[in-house]
Amino acid sequence: MLTSEAIAKAKLNTPYGTKDRFHEHDDCIRIAYEWLDAQKKIQGPTPKTRPLKHLIEQWAGRYVSQNDVEVAANMHPEIFGTYPHFNISTRLIEPSPSRLVGIAEAHTQSYKNRKPEVTYAFKE
């Protein structure tokens, strides 16, 4: 589990893609980290543009900002690139719901009820 101290440091060191920075809760970064961790890593950043934050929100049932995803990617030792062009396969993996166990903010909002924007190629 990512500590609040590690997240606070990462927020200071993350190269953000937006001028404004927005984080509702550290759990949003933890959620994004778990989603990214489940994806297959590839050699270079993907050229394909995907609405990653929306995919993560649908999976976790909670709002996640682009900035949350950027911090999570910055913290992950195997992820590089810039939002939304990280080094993850375009054949996305739907992470196991067990990854959200212990993240209190997961499933606290109605994002899970939205129409899926993508079909995952695999399930974890």
Side-chain angles (χ1 to χ4, degrees):
M1 184 63 69
L2 304 177
T3 67
S4 295
E5 295 78 23
I7 290 172
K9 273 187 183 178
K11 286 177 183 176
L12 296 173
N13 299 325
T14 295
Y16 290 97
T18 60
K19 182 177 75 168
D20 298 320
R21 283 143 180 83
F22 182 72
H23 302 285
E24 275 190 358
H25 196 284
D26 284 352
D27 276 355
C28 300
I29 294 167
R30 292 180 181 101
I31 288 167
Y33 185 96
E34 290 298 329
W35 189 92
L36 289 168
D37 189 58
Q39 303 309 308
K40 180 180 179 194
K41 306 337 174 260
I42 58 176
Q43 290 182 345
T46 181
K48 186 162 185 152
T49 300
R50 290 263 173 101
L52 299 181
K53 72 174 244 59
H54 298 298
L55 300 174
I56 296 167
E57 290 168 344
Q58 290 167 352
W59 170 67
R62 202 225 187 274
Y63 173 80
V64 173
S65 71
Q66 175 180 323
N67 297 148
D68 293 329
V69 180
E70 290 169 326
V71 172
N74 187 50
M75 293 182 78
H76 199 289
E78 298 176 336
I79 300 288
F80 61 88
T82 57
Y83 185 92
H85 304 283
F86 298 119
N87 64 316
I88 59 173
S89 173
T90 57
R91 301 196 64 194
L92 298 175
I93 298 169
E94 182 177 11
S96 168
S98 66
R99 287 180 170 272
L100 297 172
V101 172
I103 301 178
E105 288 292 312
H107 305 296
T108 58
Q109 297 172 350
S110 62
Y111 285 79
K112 194 86 172 167
N113 299 329
R114 292 183 175 178
K115 181 181 175 208
E117 294 185 28
V118 70
T119 302
Y120 287 96
F122 306 101
K123 284 186 178 246
E124 186 177 38

